Amino acid sequence: MGCHNGSELQDLGCSSQLLLQPLWDTIRTREAFTRSPFFPVTFSIITYVGFCLPFVVLDVLYPWVPILRRYKIHPDFSPSVKQLLPCLGLTLYQHLVFVFPMTLLHWARNPALLPREAPELSQLLSHVLICLLLFDTEIFAWHLLHHKVPWLYRTFHKVHHQNSSSFALATQYMSVWELLSLTLFDVLNVAMLQCHPLTIFTFHVINIWLSVEDHSGYDFPWSTHRLVPFGWYGGVAHHDMHHSQFNCNFAPYFTHWDKMLGTLRSAPLPERLCTCGERCMDSRERCTVHSVHSSQKKKQT
């Protein structure tokens, strides 16, 4: 929408739009590539691998950096090269062989047109939130169905559960049917809301990050579920419990659907490595060694 002289409300919308206009103008300078059929697949792969890479580095450093054990969901597990490479290979193969041809067909029927103006910030944020809630609802129903119907689970979803302990590159280790289903939900939501291309880019980046974080195996103090209040967001330990128990926590991100249908299960406190080298259930709790030393000191006094 354009910026015109008028009411105070229009002025606020104009200033909100101007916040994003420099970013959008920068993107539009590369319009030839952004509008090409190669962009969606390239963007998806680079974003996904870019988000996975820091966790892969942490997994490589893990045996030699003891402090990382404080944040690992499974302190005794670290993915091997034989686990990492097939996951990366399957992601690249499926995007090139299946996702790219679908993108090419969509581009041929409906070439992308980039508007000159950026969206208003409030519109972008609201559309991203709605897309996340819609995607969460769709995947919850899809996910629950594939766990309740044995044939669907064996045929399509079992691939994703081959790695019982999660790690970042296992996020997209899934069947072609599952990958295309997720892509379809993604595309339908942004089309239904008629999202601005910048909103679509933003949603895709956030969606990929949240899915990678949920499979990363690391629970940091700045993890998303610790930033969202009232337990509305599940997080990495929440999703890890689904991978270990199969019959709970079907929603990918939020907790309201599992709570309403009785499939929500709270994740136990992760084990931490105490400064003395012993394990305790949470960094706020002392390990048994420290508890014994403390009681002995009290008796001596």
Side-chain angles (χ1 to χ4, degrees):
M1 62 185 265
C3 295
H4 303 287
N5 294 328
S7 66
E8 183 179 350
L9 184 61
Q10 287 177 321
D11 291 339
L12 288 173
C14 180
S15 61
S16 175
Q17 182 180 344
L18 290 176
L19 286 173
L20 298 175
Q21 194 64 49
L23 173 61
W24 182 237
D25 288 340
T26 301
I27 293 174
R28 288 184 63 247
T29 59
R30 298 165 177 82
E31 185 171 355
F33 176 61
T34 305
R35 292 180 56 187
S36 76
F38 301 98
F39 175 76
V41 173
T42 305
F43 177 82
S44 178
I45 291 176
I46 291 177
T47 304
Y48 174 68
V49 174
F51 283 150
C52 287
L53 190 57
F55 293 110
V56 173
V57 173
L58 290 179
D59 287 331
V60 171
L61 296 177
Y62 179 74
W64 295 278
V65 184
I67 195 173
L68 291 177
R69 295 178 65 89
R70 295 174 61 89
Y71 309 108
K72 200 85 162 64
I73 298 296
H74 298 288
D76 296 326
F77 170 75
S78 184
S80 64
V81 175
K82 291 184 178 180
Q83 290 173 298
L84 294 171
L85 291 181
C87 290
L88 178 60
L90 183 64
T91 296
L92 297 177
Y93 170 78
Q94 290 182 341
H95 274 77
L96 294 175
V97 175
F98 298 103
V99 177
F100 176 66
M102 291 185 62
T103 304
L104 189 60
L105 288 174
H106 181 266
W107 174 84
R109 293 185 58 187
N110 187 25
L113 297 176
L114 300 185
R116 298 176 63 89
E117 296 176 341
E120 295 179 9
L121 180 60
S122 58
Q123 182 190 58
L124 182 145
L125 294 176
S126 62
H127 277 181
V128 167
L129 179 59
I130 293 172
C131 283
L132 283 174
L133 290 170
L134 287 173
F135 186 81
D136 188 77
T137 300
E138 293 154 352
I139 299 306
F140 172 80
W142 184 99
H143 198 181
L144 183 63
L145 181 66
H146 281 67
H147 273 268
K148 296 300 182 183
V149 180
W151 180 81
L152 289 176
Y153 178 82
R154 291 193 307 268
T155 308
F156 300 117
H157 189 52
K158 186 178 179 180
V159 175
H160 186 62
H161 280 276
Q162 287 184 2
N163 297 292
S164 56
S165 296
S166 297
F167 52 94
L169 278 175
T171 304
Q172 292 189 5
Y173 191 74
M174 58 184 65
S175 66
V176 176
W177 164 254
E178 185 166 358
L179 179 64
L180 295 181
S181 298
L182 303 186
T183 304
L184 177 63
F185 294 142
D186 204 335
V187 172
L188 286 178
N189 292 337
V190 297
M192 180 175 62
L193 292 174
Q194 296 184 340
C195 293
H196 189 281
L198 183 59
T199 304
I200 297 174
F201 299 157
T202 305
F203 167 64
H204 285 165
V205 169
I206 294 175
N207 198 26
I208 292 172
W209 163 252
L210 293 178
S211 61
V212 169
E213 184 189 48
D214 273 2
H215 290 84
S216 67
Y218 290 91
D219 184 5
F220 292 110
W222 54 84
S223 294
T224 304
H225 74 99
R226 297 182 181 275
L227 305 178
V228 178
F230 310 120
W232 289 338
Y233 188 88
V236 58
H238 171 90
H239 190 70
D240 183 80
M241 177 167 281
H242 169 75
H243 275 264
S244 60
Q245 299 191 13
F246 300 99
N247 61 351
C248 62
N249 302 350
F250 294 102
Y253 304 139
F254 302 102
T255 58
H256 55 280
W257 287 115
D258 280 303
K259 191 175 297 183
M260 285 190 287
L261 272 71
T263 54
L264 179 66
R265 189 165 301 173
S266 298
L269 292 173
E271 288 186 343
R272 308 295 191 190
L273 187 68
C274 194
T275 52
C276 66
E278 294 294 324
R279 289 180 182 176
C280 52
M281 289 307 296
D282 190 86
S283 57
R284 294 170 294 181
E285 298 180 4
R286 291 177 300 175
C287 67
T288 54
V289 174
H290 281 153
S291 298
V292 170
H293 288 332
S294 179
S295 60
Q296 287 177 349
K297 287 182 180 180
K298 288 182 179 179
K299 289 180 181 179
Q300 291 175 356
T301 56

